Amino acid sequence: MRKAIVPLFAASGLIFMTAPILIARAPYESTMGLVQKIFYFHFPPAILMLVSSIFCGILSGLFLIKKRPVFDWMAFAAAELTVLYGAMAMVTGPLWARKAWGVWWQWDARLTMSLLMWMVFVSYLLLRRYGGPGSETLAAGLALFGMATAPFVYLSVNIWRTIHPLTSVVPTLPVDFALPLWYAFLGFFLMYLALMALRVRIEEQRAMLDQLYLESEE
Amino acid sequence: MNAFWRVVWVVARKDLAIEARSRELINTTVFFAVSCVVVFSVSFVGEGGDGRAIGDAAAGILWIAIAFSGTLALGRTFERERYGDTLRALLLAPGARAAVYVGKLLGIIALLIATQVVVVPLVALLFQASLFEHFGMVAALLVAGTIGFASVGTLFAAMLARARSRDVLLPILLYPVTIPVMIAGVRGTSALLAAEPQLDMARLWIMLLVSFDVVFVTLSLWTFESLMTE
């Protein structure tokens, strides 16, 4: 895991440097034109936020059952990354919406549910920061509730009529659009892995330091 | 199964007996809910006019009053356990942990419903809201919404009972998770309060609330045990 951090950062950096070329060469979408290009930076973090929240929930469940600290470190990292990627999706979303829908924000099902999920994970971080000793167990319980909102976020556009595009859009994209999209996605994904590895390593070191501190006290 | 329900009954009866003698929570919670309604009525009812709230504000005010006073009551019930050092005793009691949770939950639901008995007529009176026209549906919305809110609330309040800065953390954790319940409650109630009551719409929201209840109660029962171990 540790040896992979630098190559992962390098690979995602390389992709982020070259992705604009592919995105610039992709054809213009017929109705939205240039504005639609935000899509390449909106969809990947949004999907990764969802995946990350589910990942955090599963790891938290494992931590509650098995009590192994490594699950907790990974769940903590996943929660932070959920908030980070959610913030990216929620900055790029309104920028696009302003041009495409004429408003910055709309209280439709997809947007509301995404915001709520993001808030659950922000509260997770607040709990861990200010909850005092034992808060990692409590946060794990909260993450399970956060994970329970993920299917609602994903399916909300199909169940309720909203102005957000449906989930069927991405799988049926023509290849000219799909290629830069998945290329950008790969960049975001590798960055996710790199940050996750780095974050887990920090927690690992912190636990080791605590251990050493305790031993020197005795 | 019988032993399970006996523990549930003992825990719930204990809380209700304390409440019947001190009336601490019911008095403070009801008065807090009334204050909430009054504060909102000042903001959402224009001077003169017909005395009705702007738009569907009546439904929103009712649910906000329930959520706010519910948060306060949740914090207090576990504060009481902590103050008397009885939380550990409760958890050490023989019988399933989940039974302790269900007992606590029933006590809180009873308290919140008692609050609603006061708040619902008050909202109907102050905002000329026709809450009693389809009373069965309104009651179903309130009960389903209260169960959803209280099930998550009881779990979070219990697990936060020993955490630092629990007073502020409880609403911070509780609201994002329970906002779907609030949305369903408010939308369902305002569908009933509309000039042309939309019964189908309200029924749909009740169904949604019931499905939230199932998810929340299942998750809470499943996690209560592992979250309350020391």
Side-chain angles (χ1 to χ4, degrees):
Chain A
M1 213 46 179
R2 192 169 112 202
K3 283 192 187 131
I5 294 175
V6 174
L8 279 171
F9 270 120
S12 77
L14 204 67
I15 291 177
F16 280 123
M17 277 193 288
T18 49
I21 302 168
L22 277 182
I23 293 169
R25 285 192 182 165
Y28 285 113
E29 203 264 345
S30 53
T31 51
M32 283 182 280
L34 184 65
V35 185
Q36 180 269 339
K37 302 218 182 243
I38 299 177
F39 174 60
Y40 303 109
F41 289 97
H42 175 68
F43 170 80
I47 286 292
L48 285 168
M49 169 181 85
L50 267 182
V51 173
S52 179
S53 71
I54 295 172
F55 190 48
C56 180
I58 293 171
L59 287 164
S60 299
L62 281 173
F63 174 65
L64 285 179
I65 297 165
K66 300 248 165 90
K67 299 278 172 209
R68 290 236 329 256
V70 64
F71 292 131
D72 179 51
W73 302 336
M74 290 178 84
F76 192 11
E80 281 186 347
L81 287 167
T82 308
V83 172
L84 179 69
Y85 278 70
M88 289 185 209
M90 261 175 281
V91 168
T92 52
L95 287 175
W96 188 8
R98 180 70 181 85
K99 284 293 172 193
W101 303 338
V103 288
W104 294 104
W105 185 265
Q106 185 84 42
W107 287 105
D108 85 354
R110 166 62 68 88
L111 275 65
T112 310
M113 289 307 289
S114 307
L115 179 66
L116 288 184
M117 163 181 268
W118 189 73
M119 282 172 69
V120 170
F121 283 93
V122 172
S123 70
Y124 174 103
L125 298 184
L126 287 171
L127 174 60
R128 292 204 66 138
R129 185 96 170 71
Y130 302 111
S135 58
E136 64 272 11
T137 320
L138 310 186
L142 183 65
L144 290 174
F145 281 90
M147 179 175 70
T149 59
F152 290 102
V153 177
Y154 184 72
L155 295 172
S156 54
V157 278
N158 299 346
I159 300 172
W160 287 282
R161 259 178 305 153
T162 73
I163 55 177
H164 193 282
L166 298 178
T167 52
S168 56
V169 171
V170 169
T172 56
L173 274 180
V175 72
D176 294 346
F177 291 101
L179 185 71
L181 174 69
W182 291 110
Y183 190 63
F185 186 89
L186 184 69
F188 276 101
F189 181 63
L190 292 178
M191 187 169 79
Y192 184 96
L193 291 181
L195 288 170
M196 165 69 82
L198 194 66
R199 195 67 188 78
V200 171
R201 176 142 172 76
I202 293 173
E203 286 301 312
E204 194 181 19
Q205 302 267 321
R206 183 172 294 161
M208 239 155 73
L209 198 65
D210 285 349
Q211 187 65 34
L212 286 172
Y213 188 73
L214 281 177
E215 275 169 20
S216 72
E217 288 272 283
E218 277 164 14
Chain B
M1 208 56 196
N2 241 336
F4 181 89
W5 287 107
R6 207 162 49 235
V7 176
V8 169
W9 170 236
V10 168
V11 173
R13 201 185 56 181
K14 168 193 81 76
D15 276 0
L16 293 177
I18 296 174
E19 206 37 58
R21 279 167 210 159
S22 69
R23 295 199 195 86
E24 179 201 351
L25 279 179
I26 186 80
N27 284 341
T28 51
T29 308
V30 167
F31 191 71
F32 181 77
V34 171
S35 316
C36 268
V37 172
V38 173
V39 168
F40 285 118
S41 71
V42 172
S43 333
F44 290 122
V45 181
E47 263 180 67
D50 57 356
R52 281 170 184 269
I54 308 159
D56 341 313
I61 291 167
L62 175 65
W63 282 89
I64 292 174
I66 292 168
F68 282 10
S69 53
T71 315
L72 212 65
L74 282 166
R76 284 299 309 163
T77 32
F78 284 95
E79 194 64 28
R80 192 149 68 189
E81 297 284 358
R82 214 178 58 85
Y83 193 70
D85 245 340
T86 45
L87 193 60
R88 180 170 299 149
L90 206 57
L91 294 175
L92 282 175
R97 285 269 166 83
V100 175
Y101 167 79
V102 177
K104 274 280 174 198
L105 175 61
L106 288 182
I108 285 165
I109 289 174
L111 183 75
L112 288 183
I113 291 196
T115 314
Q116 287 159 19
V117 168
V118 179
V119 176
V120 171
L122 189 74
V123 170
L125 186 85
L126 288 181
F127 301 104
Q128 277 117 65
S130 48
L131 282 167
F132 291 97
E133 215 153 284
H134 297 280
F135 184 67
M137 302 270 273
V138 172
L141 278 167
L142 285 172
V143 170
T146 307
I147 293 174
F149 181 80
S151 60
V152 186
T154 308
L155 176 73
F156 285 4
M159 73 185 202
L160 284 172
R162 281 182 304 245
R164 234 194 303 149
S165 49
R166 54 188 160 275
D167 310 331
V168 66
L169 281 175
L170 177 62
I172 285 178
L173 303 193
L174 187 55
Y175 292 157
V177 175
T178 52
I179 285 174
V181 171
M182 293 288 291
I183 294 173
V186 171
R187 290 287 171 80
T189 313
S190 60
L192 291 173
L193 290 182
E196 294 272 309
Q198 297 156 294
L199 296 181
D200 284 344
M201 200 65 164
R203 224 165 272 140
L204 186 77
W205 288 113
I206 292 173
M207 294 303 283
L208 199 67
L209 272 177
V210 171
S211 59
F212 280 138
D213 290 355
V214 173
V215 174
F216 285 163
V217 172
T218 316
L219 254 179
S220 304
L221 281 174
W222 187 59
T223 47
F224 186 76
E225 170 114 36
S226 45
L227 290 184
M228 295 309 291
T229 43
E230 278 178 81

